[in-house]
Amino acid sequence: MVDKAHDPIIIGGGPAGLTAGLYASRAGVESVLVGKEIIGGQITRAELVENHPGFPQGISGFELTELMYQQATKYGLETITTEVTQIELKGGARSSTY
Ligand SMILES: Cc1cc2nc3c(=O)[nH]c(=O)nc-3n(C[C@H](O)[C@H](O)[C@H](O)COP(=O)(O)OP(=O)(O)OC[C@H]3O[C@@H](n4cnc5c(N)ncnc54)[C@H](O)[C@@H]3O)c2cc1C
């Protein structure tokens, strides 16, 4: 169990979480992304993603995830692979247990 204050804490390592992580870490705020299972979410199961801008030939969901992960962590985003089981607010700061 880890009990540590971050702001923001991003739960879920799918495209939404990785995007939030990219914005937070680029802005220089102390954020952490906590995701259960493999980072990447549902899109990792897509054989070919054909509707993502910038990839006219399409890209596999797994490759897309790898790129999202690389981009999100480039600016120092901390990531932890585990399930969030509880969320608590302590004195205005967000704290989660995982
Ligand atoms: C087979 C398949 C093919 C697809 N193809 C396409 C496509 O071609 N184009 C397209 O635009 N969309 C596609 N989608 C849809 C796309 O994958 C989703 O819209 C997208 O993944 C949603 O992203 P998200 O980050 O909101 O959620 P998710 O991808 O669901 O990610 C949420 C993450 O949060 C994690 N999580 C949940 N609860 C907890 C917890 N308590 N603690 C820690 N982690 C937690 C989950 O494990 C997951 O990794 C496809 C989906 C599937 C299943």
Side-chain angles (χ1 to χ4, degrees), residues 11-17 34-38 40-43 45-46 48-51 82-84:
I11 301 169
V34 187
K36 66 177 175 184
E37 305 156 347
I38 301 169
Q42 295 177 58
I43 200 73
R45 286 183 244 148
L48 189 65
V49 178
E50 293 183 293
N51 61 342
T82 191
E83 181 173 10
V84 173

Side-chain angles (χ1 to χ4, degrees), residues 56-68:
Q57 310 306 322
I59 182 168
S60 81
F62 190 78
E63 278 180 279
L64 185 58
T65 293
E66 282 289 313
L67 293 172
M68 286 183 191

Side-chain angles (χ1 to χ4, degrees), residues 71-91:
Q71 194 176 6
T73 52
K74 180 177 165 186
Y75 300 98
L77 175 69
E78 186 182 342
T79 63
I80 297 172
T81 307
T82 191
E83 181 173 10
V84 173
T85 54
Q86 193 181 332
I87 301 172
E88 231 180 281
L89 284 179
K90 287 184 187 168

